[in-house]
Amino acid sequence: MIQIKDIDVKNTYPFNTVFQAELLAIQEACLWASKTNQQIKVWSDSESSLHSIASIDTKSPIAQQTQEILLKSTNIKLGWIKAHVGYSANEAADVLAKKATQEGIPTFIPAPRNHIKNLLQKESIIRWQKEWDNGETDRSVHNVLPKVKTTPTPWQRPEIMFVTGHGSFPTYLKRFNIRSSDSCGCGKLGNPLDYATSCLFTTSYHLTKPSADLEPLWWKRVMNNNNSRAKIKKLMHFIAENETLFQKMATTTSHRPNFPMYSYSLFFHTQGTTLSNSTTQRSERLNFKKYYILLF
């Protein structure tokens, strides 16, 4: 009968764990017992190590090696004993473990898989962050999310399209020759910021327009604010529903004569909409069905 404690982790490498040391102690005891022809029972106070050795799905190389020893040596049995309750052999193992921290031989145990995974993840994050900081594309997203992370950002499809500019925006469609102009029907540059702050056709969904030097801060605050993101969702839904009309308006304005005597009037036709005296309610309840740009 052998009572063992664990090999002290002070004589292992910093990345090693107590669990590994306990497994190694059981393995060494089994190796010693396998060289005798006597019936030997090895007692350990490490229940987790015993469970790992008994499991057919264990991932620990030490536990797998111990299983091979036990399969070849039927004279060895393993058992669990409660620690620190006065068993003389257990107390003796404690004394020997403490003595091994000063007189024992350093033991090499390969790093556990979770340690290697953590190292690889940290290195991946460092490289990912460098590439993200030094990249040339998606700078608008970088302004909002300067730090990379493995957890997903709680944005839905409309918000992602808005912050990346990958949607029904003239500036995006022109890149792929889907539109001949990157201008909005209102005459301004048709990008997400214009639709959200300036465009005459999206007044009901406008947010406060920032100055040029505060645009990065504006993006960060808007995309981190639940109310602003809800408004952006409505804006993107409105643009998607009326994409054809936006294209027609842009085409009409792109062909207007460049003379002072010409001016344009925009008529919003509504179907069955009752307008309130309140400006806010009026802008929110307008249901635009058709847009006409009339040339006078």
Side-chain angles (χ1 to χ4, degrees), residues 2 26 34 46 69 73 105 130 139 145 158 160 167 178 197 225 228 232 247 250 261 277 280 296:
I2 304 174
I26 296 174
S34 66
S46 174
I69 296 172
S73 305
I105 300 173
K130 288 181 179 178
R139 295 301 86 190
L145 300 173
I160 296 173
I178 300 175
T197 61
N225 183 277
S228 298
I232 287 170
Q247 290 179 359
M261 64 181 69
N277 291 330
T280 303
F296 293 98

mmCIF file of all heavy atoms in Angstrom, residues 2 26 34 46 69 73 105 130 139 145 158 160 167 178 197 225 228 232 247 250 261 277 280 296:
data_model
loop_
_atom_site.group_PDB
_atom_site.id
_atom_site.type_symbol
_atom_site.label_atom_id
_atom_site.label_comp_id
_atom_site.label_asym_id
_atom_site.label_seq_id
_atom_site.Cartn_x
_atom_site.Cartn_y
_atom_site.Cartn_z
ATOM 1 N N ILE A 2 0.607 2.164 -0.901
ATOM 2 C CA ILE A 2 1.414 3.379 -1.025
ATOM 3 C C ILE A 2 0.509 4.590 -0.853
ATOM 4 O O ILE A 2 -0.538 4.691 -1.483
ATOM 5 C CB ILE A 2 2.101 3.454 -2.401
ATOM 6 C CG1 ILE A 2 2.948 2.193 -2.634
ATOM 7 C CG2 ILE A 2 2.958 4.699 -2.511
ATOM 8 C CD1 ILE A 2 3.540 2.138 -4.013
ATOM 9 N N ILE A 26 1.076 10.181 -9.134
ATOM 10 C CA ILE A 26 0.387 8.894 -9.274
ATOM 11 C C ILE A 26 1.082 8.035 -10.330
ATOM 12 O O ILE A 26 1.267 6.819 -10.146
ATOM 13 C CB ILE A 26 -1.089 9.115 -9.644
ATOM 14 C CG1 ILE A 26 -1.821 9.848 -8.523
ATOM 15 C CG2 ILE A 26 -1.779 7.788 -9.953
ATOM 16 C CD1 ILE A 26 -3.248 10.234 -8.860
ATOM 17 N N SER A 34 4.607 -1.216 -10.861
ATOM 18 C CA SER A 34 4.553 -2.134 -12.000
ATOM 19 C C SER A 34 5.775 -3.040 -12.069
ATOM 20 O O SER A 34 5.751 -4.059 -12.775
ATOM 21 C CB SER A 34 4.422 -1.346 -13.303
ATOM 22 O OG SER A 34 5.604 -0.575 -13.539
ATOM 23 N N SER A 46 -6.074 13.305 -4.335
ATOM 24 C CA SER A 46 -6.484 14.130 -5.472
ATOM 25 C C SER A 46 -7.600 13.428 -6.242
ATOM 26 O O SER A 46 -7.354 12.568 -7.093
ATOM 27 C CB SER A 46 -5.297 14.391 -6.400
ATOM 28 O OG SER A 46 -5.719 15.075 -7.553
ATOM 29 N N ILE A 69 -0.109 2.098 -18.204
ATOM 30 C CA ILE A 69 0.601 1.333 -17.156
ATOM 31 C C ILE A 69 -0.366 0.411 -16.426
ATOM 32 O O ILE A 69 -0.074 -0.767 -16.172
ATOM 33 C CB ILE A 69 1.289 2.292 -16.172
ATOM 34 C CG1 ILE A 69 2.370 3.103 -16.883
ATOM 35 C CG2 ILE A 69 1.886 1.525 -14.993
ATOM 36 C CD1 ILE A 69 2.968 4.206 -16.037
ATOM 37 N N SER A 73 -0.433 -3.668 -15.978
ATOM 38 C CA SER A 73 -0.111 -4.147 -14.619
ATOM 39 C C SER A 73 -1.412 -4.298 -13.834
ATOM 40 O O SER A 73 -1.913 -3.336 -13.242
ATOM 41 C CB SER A 73 0.833 -3.178 -13.907
ATOM 42 O OG SER A 73 2.001 -2.952 -14.675
ATOM 43 N N ILE A 105 14.556 17.175 -6.926
ATOM 44 C CA ILE A 105 15.107 17.408 -8.264
ATOM 45 C C ILE A 105 14.019 18.066 -9.132
ATOM 46 O O ILE A 105 12.891 17.576 -9.186
ATOM 47 C CB ILE A 105 15.550 16.085 -8.909
ATOM 48 C CG1 ILE A 105 16.625 15.413 -8.035
ATOM 49 C CG2 ILE A 105 16.072 16.316 -10.330
ATOM 50 C CD1 ILE A 105 17.003 14.021 -8.498
ATOM 51 N N LYS A 130 -2.351 44.971 -34.090
ATOM 52 C CA LYS A 130 -1.399 45.715 -34.923
ATOM 53 C C LYS A 130 -1.930 45.890 -36.342
ATOM 54 O O LYS A 130 -1.839 46.970 -36.930
ATOM 55 C CB LYS A 130 -0.042 44.995 -34.950
ATOM 56 C CG LYS A 130 0.735 45.101 -33.641
ATOM 57 C CD LYS A 130 2.074 44.389 -33.756
ATOM 58 C CE LYS A 130 2.865 44.515 -32.459
ATOM 59 N NZ LYS A 130 4.164 43.789 -32.541
ATOM 60 N N ARG A 139 -11.721 52.351 -41.735
ATOM 61 C CA ARG A 139 -11.285 53.297 -40.706
ATOM 62 C C ARG A 139 -12.465 53.844 -39.918
ATOM 63 O O ARG A 139 -12.304 54.248 -38.757
ATOM 64 C CB ARG A 139 -10.497 54.448 -41.333
ATOM 65 C CG ARG A 139 -9.180 54.049 -41.969
ATOM 66 C CD ARG A 139 -8.229 53.386 -40.969
ATOM 67 N NE ARG A 139 -8.438 51.951 -40.837
ATOM 68 C CZ ARG A 139 -7.862 51.227 -39.898
ATOM 69 N NH1 ARG A 139 -7.079 51.781 -39.001
ATOM 70 N NH2 ARG A 139 -8.076 49.931 -39.833
ATOM 71 N N LEU A 145 -14.593 51.130 -32.905
ATOM 72 C CA LEU A 145 -14.056 49.959 -32.189
ATOM 73 C C LEU A 145 -12.544 49.917 -32.357
ATOM 74 O O LEU A 145 -12.021 49.159 -33.159
ATOM 75 C CB LEU A 145 -14.686 48.672 -32.746
ATOM 76 C CG LEU A 145 -16.209 48.553 -32.652
ATOM 77 C CD1 LEU A 145 -16.682 47.313 -33.386
ATOM 78 C CD2 LEU A 145 -16.661 48.527 -31.205
ATOM 79 N N PRO A 158 -28.568 46.299 -39.886
ATOM 80 C CA PRO A 158 -28.659 47.711 -40.284
ATOM 81 C C PRO A 158 -27.554 48.577 -39.682
ATOM 82 O O PRO A 158 -27.027 49.473 -40.352
ATOM 83 C CB PRO A 158 -30.043 48.130 -39.756
ATOM 84 C CG PRO A 158 -30.813 46.869 -39.644
ATOM 85 C CD PRO A 158 -29.819 45.835 -39.249
ATOM 86 N N ILE A 160 -24.536 47.547 -38.770
ATOM 87 C CA ILE A 160 -23.267 47.193 -39.420
ATOM 88 C C ILE A 160 -23.166 47.861 -40.780
ATOM 89 O O ILE A 160 -22.107 48.400 -41.148
ATOM 90 C CB ILE A 160 -23.152 45.662 -39.547
ATOM 91 C CG1 ILE A 160 -23.091 45.015 -38.160
ATOM 92 C CG2 ILE A 160 -21.923 45.280 -40.371
ATOM 93 C CD1 ILE A 160 -23.139 43.502 -38.187
ATOM 94 N N GLY A 167 -23.973 49.763 -47.818
ATOM 95 C CA GLY A 167 -25.415 49.668 -47.964
ATOM 96 C C GLY A 167 -25.873 50.421 -49.195
ATOM 97 O O GLY A 167 -25.114 50.629 -50.147
ATOM 98 N N ILE A 178 -22.457 50.786 -59.881
ATOM 99 C CA ILE A 178 -23.905 50.592 -59.847
ATOM 100 C C ILE A 178 -24.604 51.941 -59.982
ATOM 101 O O ILE A 178 -25.707 52.024 -60.514
ATOM 102 C CB ILE A 178 -24.327 49.880 -58.544
ATOM 103 C CG1 ILE A 178 -23.636 48.516 -58.458
ATOM 104 C CG2 ILE A 178 -25.838 49.724 -58.459
ATOM 105 C CD1 ILE A 178 -23.889 47.783 -57.167
ATOM 106 N N THR A 197 -27.702 63.008 -40.864
ATOM 107 C CA THR A 197 -27.636 64.354 -40.279
ATOM 108 C C THR A 197 -28.096 65.476 -41.199
ATOM 109 O O THR A 197 -28.511 66.532 -40.706
ATOM 110 C CB THR A 197 -26.189 64.667 -39.845
ATOM 111 O OG1 THR A 197 -25.319 64.625 -40.993
ATOM 112 C CG2 THR A 197 -25.692 63.683 -38.798
ATOM 113 N N ASN A 225 -24.736 54.174 -28.219
ATOM 114 C CA ASN A 225 -25.941 54.665 -27.569
ATOM 115 C C ASN A 225 -27.147 53.897 -28.114
ATOM 116 O O ASN A 225 -27.375 53.857 -29.324
ATOM 117 C CB ASN A 225 -26.105 56.168 -27.824
ATOM 118 C CG ASN A 225 -27.308 56.739 -27.114
ATOM 119 O OD1 ASN A 225 -28.422 56.650 -27.601
ATOM 120 N ND2 ASN A 225 -27.084 57.344 -25.954
ATOM 121 N N SER A 228 -29.713 56.050 -30.153
ATOM 122 C CA SER A 228 -29.199 56.443 -31.466
ATOM 123 C C SER A 228 -29.194 55.259 -32.422
ATOM 124 O O SER A 228 -29.527 55.396 -33.606
ATOM 125 C CB SER A 228 -27.784 57.013 -31.324
ATOM 126 O OG SER A 228 -27.783 58.171 -30.517
ATOM 127 N N ILE A 232 -31.028 54.722 -36.047
ATOM 128 C CA ILE A 232 -30.294 54.314 -37.247
ATOM 129 C C ILE A 232 -30.975 53.110 -37.907
ATOM 130 O O ILE A 232 -31.049 53.026 -39.135
ATOM 131 C CB ILE A 232 -28.830 53.991 -36.877
ATOM 132 C CG1 ILE A 232 -28.072 55.283 -36.584
ATOM 133 C CG2 ILE A 232 -28.142 53.214 -37.990
ATOM 134 C CD1 ILE A 232 -26.722 55.077 -35.981
ATOM 135 N N GLN A 247 -32.968 56.622 -56.011
ATOM 136 C CA GLN A 247 -32.217 56.576 -57.264
ATOM 137 C C GLN A 247 -32.851 57.480 -58.315
ATOM 138 O O GLN A 247 -32.152 58.172 -59.056
ATOM 139 C CB GLN A 247 -32.179 55.132 -57.767
ATOM 140 C CG GLN A 247 -31.319 54.202 -56.940
ATOM 141 C CD GLN A 247 -31.331 52.792 -57.467
ATOM 142 O OE1 GLN A 247 -31.992 52.480 -58.444
ATOM 143 N NE2 GLN A 247 -30.585 51.915 -56.803
ATOM 144 N N ALA A 250 -32.018 61.062 -57.522
ATOM 145 C CA ALA A 250 -30.619 61.370 -57.826
ATOM 146 C C ALA A 250 -30.426 61.543 -59.330
ATOM 147 O O ALA A 250 -29.682 62.418 -59.786
ATOM 148 C CB ALA A 250 -29.717 60.259 -57.303
ATOM 149 N N MET A 261 -32.190 80.734 -63.097
ATOM 150 C CA MET A 261 -33.635 80.923 -63.195
ATOM 151 C C MET A 261 -34.403 79.651 -62.813
ATOM 152 O O MET A 261 -35.597 79.660 -62.626
ATOM 153 C CB MET A 261 -34.018 81.329 -64.632
ATOM 154 C CG MET A 261 -33.727 80.250 -65.671
ATOM 155 S SD MET A 261 -34.178 80.788 -67.324
ATOM 156 C CE MET A 261 -32.919 82.055 -67.589
ATOM 157 N N ASN A 277 -50.327 69.195 -35.500
ATOM 158 C CA ASN A 277 -49.768 70.536 -35.418
ATOM 159 C C ASN A 277 -48.350 70.513 -34.868
ATOM 160 O O ASN A 277 -47.585 71.449 -35.050
ATOM 161 C CB ASN A 277 -50.648 71.415 -34.525
ATOM 162 C CG ASN A 277 -51.992 71.701 -35.187
ATOM 163 O OD1 ASN A 277 -52.072 71.752 -36.414
ATOM 164 N ND2 ASN A 277 -53.029 71.863 -34.384
ATOM 165 N N THR A 280 -42.688 67.753 -34.334
ATOM 166 C CA THR A 280 -42.059 66.454 -34.079
ATOM 167 C C THR A 280 -42.965 65.320 -34.528
ATOM 168 O O THR A 280 -42.547 64.405 -35.240
ATOM 169 C CB THR A 280 -41.741 66.304 -32.592
ATOM 170 O OG1 THR A 280 -40.913 67.380 -32.190
ATOM 171 C CG2 THR A 280 -41.030 64.981 -32.323
ATOM 172 N N PHE A 296 -39.124 74.083 -62.349
ATOM 173 C CA PHE A 296 -39.874 75.288 -62.728
ATOM 174 C C PHE A 296 -38.985 76.182 -63.581
ATOM 175 O O PHE A 296 -37.813 76.310 -63.340
ATOM 176 C CB PHE A 296 -40.310 76.060 -61.476
ATOM 177 C CG PHE A 296 -41.321 75.297 -60.670
ATOM 178 C CD1 PHE A 296 -40.938 74.553 -59.566
ATOM 179 C CD2 PHE A 296 -42.660 75.305 -61.022
ATOM 180 C CE1 PHE A 296 -41.854 73.863 -58.832
ATOM 181 C CE2 PHE A 296 -43.586 74.613 -60.257
ATOM 182 C CZ PHE A 296 -43.187 73.880 -59.159
#
